[in-house]
PDB file of all heavy atoms in Angstrom:
ATOM      1  N   LEU P 980      18.575  -5.375  11.145  1.00 95.00           N
ATOM      2  CA  LEU P 980      19.527  -6.403  11.105  1.00 95.00           C
ATOM      3  C   LEU P 980      19.410  -7.216   9.850  1.00 95.00           C
ATOM      4  O   LEU P 980      18.416  -7.959   9.691  1.00 95.00           O
ATOM      5  CB  LEU P 980      19.386  -7.418  12.348  1.00 95.00           C
ATOM      6  CG  LEU P 980      20.284  -8.590  12.387  1.00 95.00           C
ATOM      7  CD1 LEU P 980      21.758  -8.253  12.436  1.00 95.00           C
ATOM      8  CD2 LEU P 980      19.928  -9.470  13.597  1.00 95.00           C
ATOM      9  N   ARG P 982      21.089 -10.217   8.344  1.00 89.00           N
ATOM     10  CA  ARG P 982      22.089 -11.282   8.756  1.00 89.00           C
ATOM     11  C   ARG P 982      22.805 -11.740   7.467  1.00 89.00           C
ATOM     12  O   ARG P 982      22.401 -12.734   6.869  1.00 89.00           O
ATOM     13  CB  ARG P 982      21.443 -12.438   9.420  1.00 89.00           C
ATOM     14  CG  ARG P 982      20.906 -12.145  10.849  1.00 89.00           C
ATOM     15  CD  ARG P 982      20.236 -13.469  11.458  1.00 89.00           C
ATOM     16  NE  ARG P 982      20.121 -13.348  12.866  1.00 89.00           N
ATOM     17  CZ  ARG P 982      19.021 -13.143  13.576  1.00 89.00           C
ATOM     18  NH1 ARG P 982      17.926 -12.829  12.884  1.00 89.00           N
ATOM     19  NH2 ARG P 982      19.013 -13.177  14.873  1.00 89.00           N
ATOM     20  N   GLU P 984      25.322 -13.348   6.732  1.00 85.00           N
ATOM     21  CA  GLU P 984      25.949 -14.710   6.605  1.00 85.00           C
ATOM     22  C   GLU P 984      25.084 -15.711   5.926  1.00 85.00           C
ATOM     23  O   GLU P 984      25.592 -16.698   5.332  1.00 85.00           O
ATOM     24  CB  GLU P 984      26.286 -15.274   7.987  1.00 85.00           C
ATOM     25  CG  GLU P 984      25.145 -15.411   8.993  1.00 85.00           C
ATOM     26  CD  GLU P 984      25.008 -14.065   9.794  1.00 85.00           C
ATOM     27  OE1 GLU P 984      25.479 -13.067   9.377  1.00 85.00           O
ATOM     28  OE2 GLU P 984      24.163 -14.166  10.711  1.00 85.00           O
ATOM     29  N   ARG P1022      24.656  -6.348   8.731  1.00 97.00           N
ATOM     30  CA  ARG P1022      25.688  -6.875   9.662  1.00 97.00           C
ATOM     31  C   ARG P1022      26.754  -7.638   8.888  1.00 97.00           C
ATOM     32  O   ARG P1022      26.387  -8.469   8.018  1.00 97.00           O
ATOM     33  CB  ARG P1022      25.025  -7.813  10.690  1.00 97.00           C
ATOM     34  CG  ARG P1022      26.047  -8.401  11.730  1.00 97.00           C
ATOM     35  CD  ARG P1022      25.385  -9.119  12.803  1.00 97.00           C
ATOM     36  NE  ARG P1022      24.833 -10.424  12.329  1.00 97.00           N
ATOM     37  CZ  ARG P1022      24.162 -11.233  13.076  1.00 97.00           C
ATOM     38  NH1 ARG P1022      23.890 -10.957  14.367  1.00 97.00           N
ATOM     39  NH2 ARG P1022      23.710 -12.449  12.663  1.00 97.00           N
ATOM     40  N   ASP P1025      28.657 -13.002  10.207  1.00 91.00           N
ATOM     41  CA  ASP P1025      28.676 -13.586  11.602  1.00 91.00           C
ATOM     42  C   ASP P1025      28.653 -15.054  11.458  1.00 91.00           C
ATOM     43  O   ASP P1025      27.674 -15.693  11.774  1.00 91.00           O
ATOM     44  CB  ASP P1025      27.428 -13.077  12.331  1.00 91.00           C
ATOM     45  CG  ASP P1025      27.453 -13.545  13.787  1.00 91.00           C
ATOM     46  OD1 ASP P1025      28.404 -14.134  14.213  1.00 91.00           O
ATOM     47  OD2 ASP P1025      26.399 -13.300  14.478  1.00 91.00           O
ATOM     48  N   LYS P1030      26.479 -21.326  12.916  1.00 66.00           N
ATOM     49  CA  LYS P1030      26.334 -20.945  11.550  1.00 66.00           C
ATOM     50  C   LYS P1030      27.671 -21.090  10.868  1.00 66.00           C
ATOM     51  O   LYS P1030      28.354 -20.208  10.413  1.00 66.00           O
ATOM     52  CB  LYS P1030      25.876 -19.445  11.419  1.00 66.00           C
ATOM     53  CG  LYS P1030      24.484 -19.217  12.012  1.00 66.00           C
ATOM     54  CD  LYS P1030      24.078 -17.788  11.958  1.00 66.00           C
ATOM     55  CE  LYS P1030      24.737 -17.030  13.024  1.00 66.00           C
ATOM     56  NZ  LYS P1030      24.173 -15.685  13.227  1.00 66.00           N
ATOM     57  N   ARG P1047      34.705 -16.964  15.527  1.00 90.00           N
ATOM     58  CA  ARG P1047      33.469 -16.613  14.821  1.00 90.00           C
ATOM     59  C   ARG P1047      33.368 -15.084  14.664  1.00 90.00           C
ATOM     60  O   ARG P1047      34.099 -14.305  15.214  1.00 90.00           O
ATOM     61  CB  ARG P1047      32.213 -17.134  15.541  1.00 90.00           C
ATOM     62  CG  ARG P1047      32.029 -16.813  17.027  1.00 90.00           C
ATOM     63  CD  ARG P1047      30.689 -17.205  17.527  1.00 90.00           C
ATOM     64  NE  ARG P1047      29.592 -16.532  16.902  1.00 90.00           N
ATOM     65  CZ  ARG P1047      28.369 -16.446  17.335  1.00 90.00           C
ATOM     66  NH1 ARG P1047      28.075 -16.944  18.531  1.00 90.00           N
ATOM     67  NH2 ARG P1047      27.458 -15.790  16.666  1.00 90.00           N
ATOM     68  N   MET P1118      27.485  -4.745  17.395  1.00 98.00           N
ATOM     69  CA  MET P1118      26.635  -5.585  18.152  1.00 98.00           C
ATOM     70  C   MET P1118      27.193  -5.727  19.585  1.00 98.00           C
ATOM     71  O   MET P1118      28.341  -5.936  19.790  1.00 98.00           O
ATOM     72  CB  MET P1118      26.614  -7.075  17.614  1.00 98.00           C
ATOM     73  CG  MET P1118      26.066  -7.148  16.246  1.00 98.00           C
ATOM     74  SD  MET P1118      24.301  -7.296  16.226  1.00 98.00           S
ATOM     75  CE  MET P1118      23.870  -8.737  17.058  1.00 98.00           C
ATOM     76  N   GLU P1120      26.906  -8.008  22.314  1.00 97.00           N
ATOM     77  CA  GLU P1120      26.390  -9.310  22.621  1.00 97.00           C
ATOM     78  C   GLU P1120      27.355 -10.245  23.422  1.00 97.00           C
ATOM     79  O   GLU P1120      27.011 -11.428  23.671  1.00 97.00           O
ATOM     80  CB  GLU P1120      25.979 -10.011  21.325  1.00 97.00           C
ATOM     81  CG  GLU P1120      27.018 -10.035  20.200  1.00 97.00           C
ATOM     82  CD  GLU P1120      26.513 -10.537  18.876  1.00 97.00           C
ATOM     83  OE1 GLU P1120      25.461 -11.195  18.831  1.00 97.00           O
ATOM     84  OE2 GLU P1120      27.264 -10.382  17.851  1.00 97.00           O
ATOM     85  N   VAL P1140      21.920  -4.322  20.363  1.00 98.00           N
ATOM     86  CA  VAL P1140      22.140  -5.355  21.366  1.00 98.00           C
ATOM     87  C   VAL P1140      21.638  -6.660  20.845  1.00 98.00           C
ATOM     88  O   VAL P1140      20.444  -6.807  20.469  1.00 98.00           O
ATOM     89  CB  VAL P1140      21.370  -5.003  22.656  1.00 98.00           C
ATOM     90  CG1 VAL P1140      21.795  -5.945  23.761  1.00 98.00           C
ATOM     91  CG2 VAL P1140      21.590  -3.601  23.078  1.00 98.00           C
ATOM     92  N   GLY P1141      22.529  -7.673  20.794  1.00 96.00           N
ATOM     93  CA  GLY P1141      22.189  -9.043  20.374  1.00 96.00           C
ATOM     94  C   GLY P1141      21.878  -9.861  21.630  1.00 96.00           C
ATOM     95  O   GLY P1141      22.772 -10.476  22.229  1.00 96.00           O
ATOM     96  N   THR P1142      20.589  -9.788  22.032  1.00 94.00           N
ATOM     97  CA  THR P1142      20.197 -10.453  23.341  1.00 94.00           C
ATOM     98  C   THR P1142      20.374 -11.950  23.255  1.00 94.00           C
ATOM     99  O   THR P1142      20.628 -12.630  24.284  1.00 94.00           O
ATOM    100  CB  THR P1142      18.778 -10.032  23.737  1.00 94.00           C
ATOM    101  OG1 THR P1142      17.872 -10.347  22.712  1.00 94.00           O
ATOM    102  CG2 THR P1142      18.772  -8.610  24.179  1.00 94.00           C
ATOM    103  N   ASN P1143      20.263 -12.558  22.025  1.00 90.00           N
ATOM    104  CA  ASN P1143      20.393 -14.023  21.961  1.00 90.00           C
ATOM    105  C   ASN P1143      21.757 -14.457  22.456  1.00 90.00           C
ATOM    106  O   ASN P1143      21.918 -15.360  23.306  1.00 90.00           O
ATOM    107  CB  ASN P1143      20.210 -14.479  20.524  1.00 90.00           C
ATOM    108  CG  ASN P1143      18.934 -13.995  19.877  1.00 90.00           C
ATOM    109  OD1 ASN P1143      17.957 -13.689  20.657  1.00 90.00           O
ATOM    110  ND2 ASN P1143      18.914 -13.967  18.598  1.00 90.00           N
ATOM    111  N   ASP P1144      22.805 -13.786  21.933  1.00 92.00           N
ATOM    112  CA  ASP P1144      24.103 -14.158  22.425  1.00 92.00           C
ATOM    113  C   ASP P1144      24.440 -13.546  23.732  1.00 92.00           C
ATOM    114  O   ASP P1144      25.181 -14.208  24.515  1.00 92.00           O
ATOM    115  CB  ASP P1144      25.120 -13.719  21.372  1.00 92.00           C
ATOM    116  CG  ASP P1144      25.253 -14.749  20.202  1.00 92.00           C
ATOM    117  OD1 ASP P1144      25.259 -15.944  20.521  1.00 92.00           O
ATOM    118  OD2 ASP P1144      25.295 -14.370  19.051  1.00 92.00           O
ATOM    119  N   ARG P1154      22.263 -21.523  23.460  1.00 78.00           N
ATOM    120  CA  ARG P1154      20.936 -21.057  23.110  1.00 78.00           C
ATOM    121  C   ARG P1154      20.223 -22.094  22.202  1.00 78.00           C
ATOM    122  O   ARG P1154      19.017 -21.984  21.996  1.00 78.00           O
ATOM    123  CB  ARG P1154      21.009 -19.738  22.306  1.00 78.00           C
ATOM    124  CG  ARG P1154      21.958 -19.819  21.131  1.00 78.00           C
ATOM    125  CD  ARG P1154      22.326 -18.388  20.562  1.00 78.00           C
ATOM    126  NE  ARG P1154      21.477 -18.071  19.442  1.00 78.00           N
ATOM    127  CZ  ARG P1154      21.701 -17.055  18.596  1.00 78.00           C
ATOM    128  NH1 ARG P1154      22.804 -16.340  18.838  1.00 78.00           N
ATOM    129  NH2 ARG P1154      20.941 -16.826  17.636  1.00 78.00           N
ATOM    130  N   CYS P1191      18.355  -5.993  18.632  1.00 95.00           N
ATOM    131  CA  CYS P1191      17.866  -6.852  17.454  1.00 95.00           C
ATOM    132  C   CYS P1191      17.789  -8.288  17.816  1.00 95.00           C
ATOM    133  O   CYS P1191      17.576  -9.179  16.947  1.00 95.00           O
ATOM    134  CB  CYS P1191      18.838  -6.591  16.263  1.00 95.00           C
ATOM    135  SG  CYS P1191      20.522  -7.080  16.650  1.00 95.00           S
ATOM    136  N   GLY P1192      18.133  -8.683  19.093  1.00 90.00           N
ATOM    137  CA  GLY P1192      17.891 -10.082  19.492  1.00 90.00           C
ATOM    138  C   GLY P1192      16.481 -10.381  19.765  1.00 90.00           C
ATOM    139  O   GLY P1192      15.605  -9.493  19.623  1.00 90.00           O
ATOM    140  N   GLY P1193      16.241 -11.660  20.162  1.00 87.00           N
ATOM    141  CA  GLY P1193      14.890 -12.160  20.328  1.00 87.00           C
ATOM    142  C   GLY P1193      14.045 -11.351  21.340  1.00 87.00           C
ATOM    143  O   GLY P1193      12.851 -11.279  21.235  1.00 87.00           O
TER     144      GLY P1193
HETATM  145  C1  PEP J 373      21.768 -11.963  18.743  1.00 90.31           C
HETATM  146  O1  PEP J 373      22.799 -12.622  19.139  1.00 90.31           O
HETATM  147  O2  PEP J 373      20.930 -11.598  19.558  1.00 90.31           O
HETATM  148  C2  PEP J 373      21.549 -11.622  17.371  1.00 90.31           C
HETATM  149  C3  PEP J 373      20.682 -10.746  16.969  1.00 90.31           C
HETATM  150  O3  PEP J 373      22.306 -12.218  16.414  1.00 90.31           O
HETATM  151  P1  PEP J 373      22.245 -13.805  16.036  1.00 90.31           P
HETATM  152  O4  PEP J 373      20.960 -14.337  16.550  1.00 90.31           O
HETATM  153  O5  PEP J 373      22.326 -13.822  14.577  1.00 90.31           O
HETATM  154  O6  PEP J 373      23.382 -14.390  16.692  1.00 90.31           O
END
Side-chain angles (χ1 to χ4, degrees):
L980 173 65
R982 287 181 162 103
E984 57 275 9
R1022 182 173 70 183
D1025 183 8
K1030 293 178 285 193
R1047 55 171 298 202
M1118 294 278 295
E1120 50 186 346
V1140 192
T1142 51
N1143 305 338
D1144 277 317
R1154 57 193 262 195
C1191 63

